[in-house]
Amino acid sequence: MSNFIGLIQNENMKIYRRMGNLIMILLLIGFIGLTGILTKTDKTKPVSDNWKQELKAENAAMQKTIKKEPMMKSHYERSIALNEYRITHDIKPVDAKSQWSFVGESPDAIQFILIFTIIVAGGMVASEFSWGTIKLLLIRPVSRTTILASKYLSTMLYALLLIIITFVFAWLWGGVLFGFDFSPGTHLSYANGKVVEENIVWHMWKEYGFASILLLMMATFAFMMSTIFRNSSLAIGFSIFLSMSGTVAVQLLSKYDWVKYILFANVDLKQYFDGTPLIKGMTLNFSLSVLAVYFVLFTALSWLVFKKRDVAA
Amino acid sequence: MSQKPLVELKDVKKRIGKKDIIHGLTFDIYGGEVFGFLGPNGAGKTTTIRMMVGLMSLSGGQILIKGKNIESHYKQAISEVGAIVENPEMYKFLTGYQNLIHYRRMVKGVSKGRIAEVIELVGLTNRIHEKVKTYSLGMRQRLGLAQALLHSPSVLILDEPTNGLDPAGIREIRYYLRQLAEKEGIAVIVSSHLLSEMELMCDRIAIIQNGKLIGVQSTKEFVESGTERKVRFLVDDPAAARHAVSHHVKAERITLGNEYLEAEMEREMIPEVTATLVVEGVKVYGISSETKTLEDKFLEVTGGKEIV
Ligand SMILES: Nc1ncnc2c1ncn2[C@@H]1O[C@H](COP(=O)(O)OP(=O)(O)OP(=O)(O)O)[C@@H](O)[C@H]1O
Ligand SMILES: [Mg+2]
């Protein structure tokens, strides 16, 4: 076990001692920093004291347009329900220019984390081959399985670190820009025609969780590509391309039933909590099973190839 | 030399795709010896070494290290091995020291003191905290050696270890490898296609070509053995000379030239024959002995064309 921790330390050393990977962390911090400044300088007015009146007016306006635009019906229904809930339960809307509103937006950064993690995952095994260091790495009294596991885990720890950095920095920067607030407000969500009250911090971590599924699957995919093809550009390019186009492709093809077996139709688990499933008949358990099958496939392929391969780099 | 071999190759074969690369190599390597692995480019030296360290699977036969099969008992077998396979590629963005720490974490029982020891040994103390990308080829070779010695292995396998070293560095490594073999009883295996180098540092040399073992020979035997060599005597009267040496050397071993006589004989015979010639009044202007070096042998067996 202590041996395994040593291996993780090794992989971490190889990740964080490289300029490129540190620059990615800086880019992430830069992105959050910039979003904060944009929010701060934005022209929107703070929520006024007679917000109840305003919400009522807003609802009345929406009731009118709802008849004209039946396409948008569900969207309006949702907003109206949320506004009414606020009025009856006296829950003031969260000011956009507040620390917690800013922190609550931070899960948006996960799309960058996705790309950065794919970059690290795609180089994890392939780089050892292109550097030629794989030969010295593998001639130790450690099984190839253990080495691969330490590489995979270190990749995931990198993703986790980026998420934590995002959260902590968003909280700090939000506090600096908008003032620290130690009583986060309430988030309202709407599912199956009902309004649900949630702590904003809890809600935010749920957002991170939902978004992390794509991250986990695509990082695992990139890792597999890296192991099989020993070519980091291919692994990274292909994985990023799929991540960006996959979800859209699945939407376009959603009229076909077989689409439900595609990975990208199942990565958004939010469809079961706050929205409607992509294809009729899809359930949470179905998606979890599909995800599990893909995950096992990706990891098993990496493992088999890495374990069996003759190293002739 | 210890009795039990540290490394045993038994009919080792390798096939990649439809191509047979190694056609059944069998030989043993003992502790305390420097064993040379000689062959022209493409002979299969690196491939054999890859199999010895478990980077490649065997298509047939087996390799035992201290009696442990490299394939079925990988961890135990490889614990005894330190190696450089082809070029010593290290992590360039790390310092030499960080590279060694990296490998230290992968084995049990290597102290920080041991790291300092091997650094000192390979003469990298002054530069060890600099990034490897700033190292010269020779320095990388030294770091590679340090990495291979870190866990005090009993078998050291080095693929072309003198590649990139300057003459002083080559002499140093030669001396050092001999020390390791003689003082610590390590089995040192070095591959090379340079025979002259092998003659200087190896106790025994295996010559391979096209994946086949051509022979294993002891270097010593070659240099000072009783094997016969051609000795040429420059004389004024070859016919008289023939008569003079005829009771030392059989007639069929003697060839006459215009102003010389050539006779095949053992090294020990040369002074005797010379004395006879002088006593018989033959004027001797010069004596030259043509030793059949390993190189001749090597050139002979490999046809000489393929050596770089
Ligand atoms: N992965 C591979 N696929 C196919 N053939 C290979 C592979 N690796 C090596 N070979 C072939 O095996 C033979 C032996 O190669 P090897 O690298 O072992 O030679 P070598 O003796 O180390 O030569 P050198 O002195 O040039 O280092 C060569 O003919 C080479 O083309
Ligand atoms: Mg070679």
Side-chain angles (χ1 to χ4, degrees), chain B residues 21-55:
Chain B
I21 293 177
I22 305 292
H23 306 258
L25 291 183
T26 303
F27 53 84
D28 295 341
I29 301 153
Y30 296 86
E33 72 171 336
V34 179
F35 187 87
F37 206 38
L38 182 68
N41 289 136
K45 303 179 294 289
T46 301
T47 306
T48 309
I49 288 177
R50 283 205 173 106
M51 291 191 282
M52 289 165 85
V53 296
L55 287 176

Side-chain angles (χ1 to χ4, degrees), chain B residues 25-27 35-38 204-209 212-218 222 294 297 301:
Chain B
L25 291 183
T26 303
F27 53 84
F35 187 87
F37 206 38
L38 182 68
R204 287 194 304 149
I205 297 177
I207 299 176
I208 72 162
Q209 188 198 15
K212 292 192 194 86
L213 186 68
I214 283 174
V216 184
Q217 277 136 353
S218 147
F222 259 94
L294 266 173
K297 183 83 180 171
V301 295

Side-chain angles (χ1 to χ4, degrees), chain A residues 221-267:
Chain A
F221 179 77
F223 190 84
M224 174 194 77
M225 295 287 284
S226 178
T227 316
I228 295 178
F229 296 104
R230 289 167 295 165
N231 179 329
S232 53
S233 320
L234 178 75
I236 294 166
F238 199 60
S239 307
I240 291 181
F241 173 76
L242 276 186
S243 313
M244 307 225 285
S245 58
T247 322
V248 182
V250 156
Q251 303 263 334
L252 292 177
L253 294 170
S254 62
K255 58 175 186 268
Y256 302 106
D257 190 59
W258 51 264
V259 168
K260 67 184 179 195
Y261 297 108
I262 294 179
L263 172 66
F264 296 98
N266 297 284
V267 286

Side-chain angles (χ1 to χ4, degrees), chain A residues 3 6 9-10 13-14 17-18 128 131-133 135-142 144 310-313, chain B residues 14 50 53-57 74 78-79 83 85 89-91 93-94 98 102-103 105-107 147:
Chain A
N3 209 346
Q9 282 179 310
N10 277 348
M13 178 165 76
K14 289 183 266 183
R17 294 270 176 195
R18 264 185 299 153
E128 298 274 1
W131 294 331
T133 45
K135 291 174 295 191
L136 292 185
L137 182 72
L138 293 186
I139 54 167
R140 313 284 147 183
V142 180
R144 290 194 185 186
D310 275 354
V311 176
Chain B
K14 183 66 192 179
R50 283 205 173 106
V53 296
L55 287 176
M56 275 186 169
S57 60
Y74 176 70
I78 204 73
S79 306
V85 184
E89 280 121 342
M90 312 294 278
Y91 299 102
F93 50 90
L94 299 180
Q98 285 162 348
H102 178 274
Y103 295 115
R105 290 195 187 120
M106 301 187 78
V107 286
Q147 151 296 121

Side-chain angles (χ1 to χ4, degrees), chain B residues 65-245:
Chain B
I65 293 175
K66 269 199 164 176
K68 298 281 187 310
N69 188 311
I70 189 74
E71 291 197 301
S72 58
H73 293 80
Y74 176 70
K75 282 191 201 173
Q76 284 154 292
I78 204 73
S79 306
E80 302 292 341
V81 179
I84 303 179
V85 184
E86 288 195 311
N87 305 317
E89 280 121 342
M90 312 294 278
Y91 299 102
K92 293 203 171 87
F93 50 90
L94 299 180
T95 65
Y97 192 77
Q98 285 162 348
N99 269 282
L100 293 180
I101 290 282
H102 178 274
Y103 295 115
R104 183 178 96 115
R105 290 195 187 120
M106 301 187 78
V107 286
K108 286 192 188 82
V110 175
S111 65
K112 284 246 165 91
R114 174 67 188 163
I115 293 191
E117 208 175 294
V118 292
I119 293 169
E120 175 82 46
L121 211 73
V122 299
L124 270 181
T125 313
N126 291 331
R127 302 287 300 271
I128 198 67
H129 290 291
E130 287 175 39
K131 291 227 165 89
V132 172
K133 62 176 156 225
T134 69
Y135 284 16
S136 68
L137 179 56
M139 291 164 68
R140 281 176 208 179
Q141 197 71 260
R142 285 157 193 262
L143 186 59
L145 190 61
Q147 151 296 121
L149 289 171
L150 197 61
H151 53 294
S152 319
S154 40
V155 176
L156 185 63
I157 303 176
L158 307 173
D159 198 2
E160 319 226 356
T162 52
N163 192 3
L165 291 182
D166 52 25
I170 293 178
R171 218 171 37 231
E172 214 176 295
I173 202 176
R174 195 193 301 147
Y175 169 77
Y176 181 61
L177 293 183
R178 290 234 51 94
Q179 291 279 307
L180 279 176
E182 285 162 21
K183 296 248 167 72
E184 308 192 22
I186 291 178
V188 181
I189 301 162
V190 286
S191 87
S192 175
H193 43 190
L194 290 177
L195 184 107
S196 47
E197 194 179 288
M198 293 289 232
E199 273 184 310
L200 289 171
M201 82 179 137
C202 301
D203 298 299
R204 287 194 304 149
I205 297 177
I207 299 176
I208 72 162
Q209 188 198 15
N210 293 330
K212 292 192 194 86
L213 186 68
I214 283 174
V216 184
Q217 277 136 353
S218 147
T219 322
K220 248 189 213 138
E221 253 167 44
F222 259 94
V223 181
E224 45 179 76
S225 73
T227 43
E228 306 210 321
R229 65 202 64 203
K230 269 187 188 153
V231 184
R232 178 179 287 201
F233 297 89
L234 295 178
V235 291
D236 59 343
D237 184 351
R242 170 158 57 183
H243 180 75
V245 300

